[in-house]
Amino acid sequence: MKKGYLLLLLALATPTPAFPQFFPYTVAKKTLKNQLDVIVIEAPEFKHVLSYNTLVLAGTRNEIEAGKTGLAHLFEHILFRHRWKGEVNGYDRAINRIGAFNNGWTDFDVTYYHPLTFTSRLVPHQGEPGLPQLEADRFQHLDFDEEIFKTEAGAVFGEYRRGASDPGLKIREQLLTLMFPDHSYGHTTIGYLEDVKDMPNEYEAALEFYRTYYRPNNVVLVVAGDVHSEQIFALAEELYGSWEPAQLPSIPVRGTAPGAKREHVTWGADVPPRISYAYRMPAFQPASAEGAVGQMLSELLAGKTSPLYQLLRYEKKTASQLSVYSGDYESFDPRYLALSSTLFKDQYRAKGTAYLDHVIADMESAFEALKRFSQDPDASKTLEELKGKYRYDLLAMLDSPANIAMQFAWYYRFQRSPRILDLLADAIQALQPADIDAFATRHFLEKNRVIVTMTPEEEQ
Amino acid sequence: MILSGKHKSFLGSVLIVLLGIFYLAAQPPGKPGGMTVVSTSSASLLIQISLMIRAGSAHDPAGKEGLAYLTGHTLLQGGFGNPADPVTKEQLALMTRPWGQGAKPSVRVAKEATTFYITVPGDVLEEYLNRVLRPLLSQPLFQARELDRIRAETVENLSGALRYEDTEGLGLNAIDHFIFEGTSYAHLSSGSVQGLANVSREDLLAFYTTHYRPEYAILALNKGDATSRARVSKAVEKIGQGFDQTAKLSRAALKGPLSFRGRHAVIVSVPNADSSGLHAAFPISVTRHSRDYWPLYVANVFFGVHRDGFSHLFREIRQKRGYNYGNYSYIEHFASRPRSLFPPFNTPRSRQYFSIWIRPVAHRYALHLLKGLTWELENFVREGLTEAQVAAAKNKAKVLYLNLAETGSRLLNVRLDDAFYSQSASGYLDHYLERLDAVTVEQVNSAIRTHLKTENLKYVVVTHSDQAENLANQLAGDLPAAGKSLEEYQIPNIDHQGKEVHAISPDKLEILQKDAVWGSYRLGVPRDQIRIVPADRIFETGEFVAP
């Protein structure tokens, strides 16, 4: 049945399949002389759609200097203020004239820029530049001044304030600080509040960040949609060929384990209590057995069919929400996996800290149970079902050129293989119950653990 | 093998036999009870099924706000099949697990529609229809303990998360509530704290038997072939027939008068708001069904398109002055803000409102920017748009198409809205680009003048409890209010012939001049129309402010 399914995929999407594959699109790759990787994903069913994405391999992780957190994210903002042809907001105006949806995001390891337009905009038209020209220009010849920088730093502060009404940010900040005492993963992407406030004064540092990391050997171009690889490769040669590579600074990978920490924070309003229960994880490799286990953990720990979810939400009714975000683990250097729960206000009022302790004990048991996962008589069946779920969920996410490119880029950075999503799917397929036991035993250790709890202030 | 051995059933054959009996009792196959069926033709291996019921929170009876929400969610989680041996939500989760997350149905409850979503691998469709979809829709059990659990979680979210964890969401929901104050349209789609408490299992049955009927249902399928349409229709058409007829509820969506006169303001005070979010709105008669929809759409893209640096409001308030993260306007309610970049489908409304949203700004600028946003709107109506501005807005609006039509799910789900607005013959996205092309500058300016009237306006400000009283007094006094200072605009002092003077560049001068105009604008909100409302008094009952 599985084979039939895969062959059908191939028949739809790939003219000359070399091997059975999961990813239903043709991927072409070319590395320019300056080491810029150019990836083209041909998805002609999305007619006239051009998804043109630039992945910069620099993010929060590269903010290694104290007092200068949040620069990667600030730089994402600055890139949109590029003075194309020397005109203030010239890039933004040109984008509006040619017509493109344009946005970007910053994460721990990467910054991603993802304009979306019509394929007719690949080349200049009626005196307007093509989208690739505009993109190539801002990544290689960014033009901005201190005034633009200061205005944008103000907007970032606004963004911080906007996010600051979310208690989750406060928990995350505390969690990261405890989890990474000596690594740049110890602060959030937006940066520490005091650094964000001071950003207007960090013009020089920001410029240095750009000069260092916005280099072809640190960038991947991913183009998807109704496109042809040969045309994109030719454009890339023409527009990015003269971009100078540079030596990249190495990021100090410090391995200090947090060492069984538990901290409590409060919130100035009547919110439900929360618990974030996290373990430090190994560095992520998508095509490895450990990486594949990592992909299963959110379901095993917090999925709607997981024992803990059933226990907390339905049997004991001690939590209203339970979640794991596996993206927290998908990083170059060792990061973490957090099991987060939202509790009930009235139970906390009635029972106080004992209520939190009780839920924490249940969360702990869920992590411990994975060390004996294979002993469960249903282990194989459960795992097979979760593999099926993973596969269909990933397939369902590949539903537009932009989403296809983003999923691809997110995993591509780890192994630089055009087959990365197939390698990931293969690793999932090869998983055995004992792999879960091994992973849990190796990493769910007391020394790797951080717990952060939050309750409303007035209850203290 | 992924798929081997996964079909082992918890149910055994009992359910299948029951289904057989049920078939006999149901109406004969043929035209599916007036149900509308729409489809796309996707090549995907995954089948998508969306089912819209034309009833939502606006159909909640007074005092039972949340009934539509609880009905939709308890239908999915309250078990189905044989009451003696039900398929519980836990079993449903296990049963659907190998087929991916989308195989476990989800629901969105809006004002006038409740929509269910399913994605299932094509090769298990028949099994899915027989074991899940058909019995789920026609034999729901609405188990009381599940109702109680969902209710408790919904109340927790309304009374905690929405009031105190997301000041932007609080403001957006508050203005939606305020604008429809006094009507059945006002309360949130998830209900009110006290309304939710009043809902019983019998109420769910009444709502289900009244509204969950083929004649009020629209089915959307991403496979257009006759066989697929017939198979899925057949599984869905039994909806609403699992119970003897109980009490009938009203089918009217909008009960109560909608009009108000003059300007009104509500200041929502929150103990932990570190900045102030601003909202302004008034009802409009334009919907997607209206002739003026596309001209007004183009006008609004120019004035305040959501999350985009293109718009006038964004440029004036964020880009030129750096007050906040963004500033937008809308001609239709936009659900799922602040998270979503683009409006989700399946929240259709026969009543719409125009609104402006100024994202949180430092408290001290709140009054200045309330004046500024109102002046900008009035000026927009006064001046209209030029040919070049309309062309630029049309160009931007075309780009939005790339996002609105981005995924297969969106292309499918928009067809439900088309059917709701009676556009089935000429779909919203199918003709989006050509309708934009046809819009003229005369139509745009006429639509602006006809529909954007600023004399009747409602404002909501979400701010810190310490600021509320002061802001209310300022608003009532309506004195000039300053914006950013010269220092904040980084205007340097220079020495000019022995005197220290401000060196103001032409673009900064333009900003300062307009600031003066904004600051001296009079809002004219009468003191008796300014209310301060603590966050814990809203969403409490069907009234905008709980007594």
Side-chain angles (χ1 to χ4, degrees):
Chain A
M1 222 166 168
K2 185 187 109 197
K3 259 186 187 156
Y5 166 74
L6 287 171
L7 288 173
L8 182 53
L9 269 179
L10 291 168
L12 285 172
T14 318
T16 50
F19 33 74
Q21 62 178 45
F22 164 78
F23 189 59
Y25 299 99
T26 308
V27 180
K29 170 178 174 174
K30 182 169 186 174
T31 304
L32 305 189
K33 283 205 183 76
N34 57 14
Q35 299 165 58
L36 176 76
D37 270 1
V38 184
I39 302 287
V40 182
I41 304 172
E42 295 183 5
E45 71 204 64
F46 299 96
K47 287 195 178 25
H48 313 302
V49 177
L50 168 63
S51 167
Y52 193 95
N53 312 281
T54 306
L55 178 76
V56 181
L57 302 176
T60 311
R61 175 173 174 266
N62 305 80
E63 297 162 355
I64 46 182
E65 209 177 325
K68 300 196 184 345
T69 64
L71 281 185
H73 171 245
L74 175 61
F75 235 89
E76 177 215 317
H77 280 243
I78 299 294
L79 263 278
F80 290 85
R81 304 299 297 268
H82 172 50
R83 290 188 289 207
W84 163 255
K85 305 272 190 205
E87 184 197 356
V88 174
N89 289 322
Y91 166 81
D92 191 43
R93 287 187 183 146
I95 284 283
N96 278 326
R97 286 195 302 272
I98 72 168
F101 166 68
N102 202 8
N103 215 331
W105 48 259
T106 308
D107 199 66
F108 283 84
D109 290 350
V110 296
T111 310
Y112 190 67
Y113 301 85
H114 52 97
L116 180 72
T117 187
F118 298 95
T119 39
S120 58
R121 297 309 190 177
L122 265 175
V123 291
H125 177 70
Q126 292 181 343
E128 297 296 343
L131 180 74
Q133 265 180 295
L134 283 170
E135 292 302 278
D137 194 61
R138 68 168 171 160
F139 285 99
Q140 296 171 69
H141 312 292
L142 183 68
D143 179 12
F144 71 108
D145 63 13
E146 196 159 358
E147 190 188 332
I148 293 174
F149 180 82
K150 287 187 168 174
T151 311
E152 217 43 52
V156 170
F157 187 36
E159 196 176 344
Y160 185 96
R161 276 205 299 250
R162 186 174 65 91
S165 78
D166 172 14
L169 178 65
K170 189 167 183 183
I171 294 179
R172 245 181 342 268
E173 285 181 338
Q174 185 66 43
L175 178 75
L176 293 177
T177 305
L178 294 171
M179 185 65 86
F180 303 103
D182 54 4
H183 191 281
S184 45
Y185 285 157
H187 59 271
T188 61
T189 301
I190 196 142
Y192 289 125
L193 177 59
E194 53 270 35
D195 295 352
V196 174
K197 279 184 178 162
D198 187 50
M199 261 178 194
N201 304 318
E202 294 297 343
Y203 175 66
E204 282 304 324
L207 208 54
E208 190 54 32
F209 191 88
Y210 174 74
R211 289 193 198 112
T212 307
Y213 292 110
Y214 283 64
R215 294 289 181 173
N217 48 324
N218 200 41
V219 167
V220 181
L221 190 64
V222 183
V223 182
D226 193 3
V227 292
H228 301 287
S229 55
E230 288 316 312
Q231 186 189 8
I232 302 298
F233 290 152
L235 273 169
E237 284 283 8
E238 178 195 331
L239 298 169
Y240 297 88
S242 59
W243 194 2
E244 287 289 324
Q247 180 76 34
L248 298 164
S250 63
I251 305 299
V253 184
R254 301 192 188 94
T256 316
K261 296 260 172 48
R262 178 172 166 178
E263 289 280 339
H264 184 73
V265 293
T266 59
W267 191 250
D270 189 20
V271 295
R274 291 156 191 252
I275 299 168
S276 207
Y277 193 125
Y279 281 105
R280 196 177 168 96
M281 293 281 102
F284 181 65
Q285 281 294 324
S288 69
E290 286 216 325
V293 173
Q295 301 294 299
M296 296 286 113
L297 286 177
S298 64
E299 275 305 315
L300 287 167
L301 285 165
K304 291 191 169 60
T305 55
S306 70
L308 184 66
Y309 189 93
Q310 306 279 324
L311 181 74
L312 297 186
R313 278 203 66 195
Y314 303 148
E315 284 174 41
K316 295 187 173 177
K317 297 190 175 67
T318 47
S320 65
Q321 288 173 48
L322 191 67
S323 66
V324 167
Y325 172 54
S326 62
D328 287 334
Y329 163 34
E330 296 166 352
S331 289
F332 286 134
D333 300 335
R335 249 172 90 221
Y336 71 96
L337 190 93
L339 176 61
S340 303
S341 61
T342 305
L343 278 52
F344 292 98
K345 289 192 284 190
D346 52 351
Q347 294 185 48
Y348 178 67
R349 273 187 217 113
K351 295 175 210 150
T353 310
Y355 169 46
L356 304 184
D357 292 343
H358 187 90
V359 177
I360 286 173
D362 285 336
M363 292 166 91
E364 171 67 35
S365 303
F367 280 108
E368 285 301 310
L370 290 185
K371 296 178 180 171
R372 304 176 302 274
F373 176 78
S374 66
Q375 294 169 28
D376 184 325
D378 284 334
S380 292
K381 178 171 172 289
T382 301
L383 189 59
E384 286 309 306
E385 289 184 355
L386 291 183
K387 289 172 171 181
K389 173 176 164 45
Y390 182 87
R391 226 177 154 75
Y392 285 123
D393 286 349
L394 187 54
L395 201 59
M397 277 190 275
L398 304 174
D399 59 354
S400 73
N403 290 338
I404 292 165
M406 189 175 70
Q407 289 294 330
F408 180 90
W410 179 257
Y411 293 110
Y412 174 79
R413 64 187 157 116
F414 291 102
Q415 283 169 265
R416 303 267 183 148
S417 163
R419 290 193 63 240
I420 191 65
L421 289 178
D422 286 296
L423 297 178
L424 177 67
D426 290 348
I428 298 285
Q429 200 51 34
L431 267 188
Q432 296 301 318
D435 295 325
I436 310 283
D437 301 11
F439 184 97
T441 307
R442 205 171 306 137
H443 301 294
F444 297 153
L445 304 174
E446 203 175 317
K447 69 178 170 107
N448 288 338
R449 191 178 68 207
V450 172
I451 300 170
V452 178
T453 53
M454 172 184 268
T455 56
E457 220 157 52
E458 55 270 20
E459 303 289 295
Q460 286 308 291
Chain B
M1 293 280 111
I2 296 174
L3 301 177
S4 61
K6 69 176 182 188
H7 301 324
K8 287 192 190 98
S9 168
F10 303 91
L11 308 170
S13 54
V14 179
L15 182 60
I16 308 300
V17 173
L18 278 172
L19 281 171
I21 294 166
F22 197 73
Y23 272 141
L24 297 175
Q27 66 179 76
K31 189 173 185 303
M35 186 168 66
T36 307
V37 184
V38 294
S39 57
T40 56
S41 293
S42 162
S44 173
L45 299 165
L46 301 172
I47 303 227
Q48 289 187 27
I49 302 167
S50 302
L51 179 70
M52 178 183 276
I53 305 298
R54 298 186 56 150
S57 61
H59 297 88
D60 291 341
K64 295 191 174 174
E65 299 84 19
L67 175 55
Y69 185 88
L70 291 174
T71 306
H73 286 270
T74 314
L75 180 94
L76 296 186
Q77 298 175 54
F80 61 83
N82 179 2
D85 183 19
V87 180
T88 62
K89 66 176 187 310
E90 290 87 352
Q91 289 167 343
L92 175 65
L94 277 171
M95 195 195 281
T96 55
R97 183 167 69 176
W99 306 325
Q101 192 172 308
K104 196 167 158 296
S106 60
V107 65
R108 172 195 286 281
V109 179
K111 295 274 186 209
E112 293 187 65
T114 299
T115 311
F116 297 92
Y117 304 96
I118 290 146
T119 303
V120 63
D123 51 3
V124 299
L125 178 65
E126 200 60 45
E127 181 186 0
Y128 189 86
L129 295 177
N130 289 331
R131 287 180 59 204
V132 180
L133 193 61
R134 191 191 325 262
L136 175 81
L137 293 176
S138 58
Q139 295 175 287
L141 298 175
F142 296 113
Q143 290 166 340
R145 65 187 162 88
E146 296 300 335
L147 167 62
D148 289 340
R149 183 184 54 78
I150 296 166
R151 182 206 327 269
E153 291 177 359
T154 311
V155 167
E156 190 81 3
N157 182 53
L158 272 184
S159 64
L162 196 53
R163 285 173 180 161
Y164 303 118
E165 295 182 22
D166 170 16
T167 53
E168 294 191 323
L170 175 61
L172 291 163
N173 281 299
I175 191 80
D176 190 23
H177 206 316
F178 189 24
I179 206 80
F180 293 108
E181 185 177 21
T183 76
S184 57
Y185 227 78
H187 63 271
L188 302 192
S189 54
S190 53
S192 71
V193 171
Q194 292 180 27
L196 284 159
N198 293 334
V199 171
S200 66
R201 181 173 180 272
E202 286 62 43
D203 294 324
L204 300 192
L205 294 182
F207 196 91
Y208 170 78
T209 49
T210 303
H211 302 294
Y212 284 53
R213 307 194 61 80
E215 58 268 38
Y216 307 135
I218 309 165
L219 170 68
L221 186 65
N222 71 340
K223 302 287 167 192
D225 60 285
T227 316
S228 300
R229 284 169 66 113
R231 275 164 84 189
V232 180
S233 302
K234 203 161 176 303
V236 171
E237 72 193 17
K238 310 286 190 266
I239 189 165
Q241 296 168 20
F243 296 90
D244 293 336
Q245 189 56 48
T246 56
K248 272 274 185 192
L249 302 176
S250 164
R251 283 282 303 156
L254 184 76
K255 298 182 280 288
L258 185 60
S259 65
F260 61 90
R261 293 242 161 262
R263 291 187 173 172
H264 307 248
V266 161
I267 297 167
V268 181
S269 70
V270 188
N272 60 331
D274 77 340
S275 46
S276 300
L278 316 178
H279 306 262
F282 53 87
I284 54 172
S285 59
V286 175
T287 70
R288 276 181 209 180
H289 198 45
S290 315
R291 195 181 46 125
D292 278 347
Y293 178 84
W294 291 102
L296 202 59
Y297 184 88
V298 171
N300 187 66
V301 165
F302 179 85
F303 189 62
V305 61
H306 183 67
R307 295 292 298 270
D308 197 298
F310 170 81
S311 87
H312 180 74
L313 284 175
F314 189 98
R315 274 180 282 136
E316 289 298 320
I317 297 173
R318 169 169 165 180
Q319 213 171 62
K320 290 186 188 169
R321 293 172 174 81
Y323 276 112
N324 63 358
Y325 189 66
N327 308 282
Y328 325 109
S329 66
Y330 309 88
I331 61 165
E332 294 177 293
H333 175 73
F334 184 141
S336 302
R337 287 170 299 169
R339 290 184 311 283
S340 297
L341 287 174
F342 305 98
F345 292 122
N346 310 144
T347 61
R349 293 182 172 202
S350 51
R351 298 297 180 125
Q352 290 288 0
Y353 61 99
F354 176 85
S355 61
I356 292 177
W357 174 28
I358 308 298
R359 296 184 93 140
V361 299
H363 297 308
R364 64 184 180 280
Y365 303 126
L367 185 62
H368 177 73
L369 289 170
L370 276 178
K371 289 169 179 274
L373 78 87
T374 315
W375 186 88
E376 286 297 336
L377 178 59
E378 285 188 358
N379 192 54
F380 179 61
V381 177
R382 222 170 11 241
E383 305 264 312
L385 295 184
T386 65
E387 186 104 36
Q389 288 170 328
V390 168
K394 282 164 71 168
N395 195 27
K396 169 55 68 179
K398 279 185 199 170
V399 175
L400 290 178
Y401 173 82
L402 289 164
N403 303 104
L404 292 172
E406 188 187 336
T407 64
S409 321
R410 295 190 67 94
L411 290 168
L412 179 68
N413 290 328
V414 72
R415 291 187 185 275
L416 294 170
D417 292 0
D418 288 348
F420 180 95
Y421 290 115
S422 311
Q423 288 189 336
S424 47
S426 53
Y428 184 73
L429 289 180
D430 297 330
H431 300 283
Y432 181 100
L433 293 170
E434 68 198 60
R435 281 178 184 150
L436 278 176
D437 268 333
V439 169
T440 66
V441 64
E442 291 76 21
Q443 289 171 344
V444 170
N445 288 325
S446 159
I448 291 173
R449 284 192 302 272
T450 309
H451 301 289
L452 305 185
K453 307 278 190 199
T454 57
E455 60 268 27
N456 303 318
L457 259 175
K458 285 187 172 180
Y459 296 97
V460 164
V461 180
V462 177
T463 192
H464 195 284
S465 315
D466 296 345
Q467 303 285 329
E469 194 70 42
N470 182 35
L471 180 62
N473 288 334
Q474 285 183 352
L475 195 51
D478 213 2
L479 294 172
K484 284 193 169 180
S485 65
L486 297 180
E487 289 70 34
E488 286 171 302
Y489 280 131
Q490 297 154 36
I491 291 172
N493 284 354
I494 56 162
D495 183 75
H496 178 70
Q497 297 172 350
K499 280 190 202 158
E500 204 179 343
V501 296
H502 298 299
I504 305 176
S505 63
D507 56 325
K508 284 279 153 65
L509 183 64
E510 198 186 316
I511 289 173
L512 291 170
Q513 284 169 335
K514 192 184 250 190
D515 282 2
V517 174
W518 285 3
S520 57
Y521 175 83
R522 289 184 62 83
L523 287 166
V525 185
R527 187 175 281 274
D528 63 355
Q529 293 301 345
I530 301 170
R531 282 181 281 176
I532 297 175
V533 181
D536 64 1
R537 298 320 296 157
I538 55 176
F539 315 139
E540 191 63 21
T541 67
E543 301 296 315
F544 177 50
V545 179

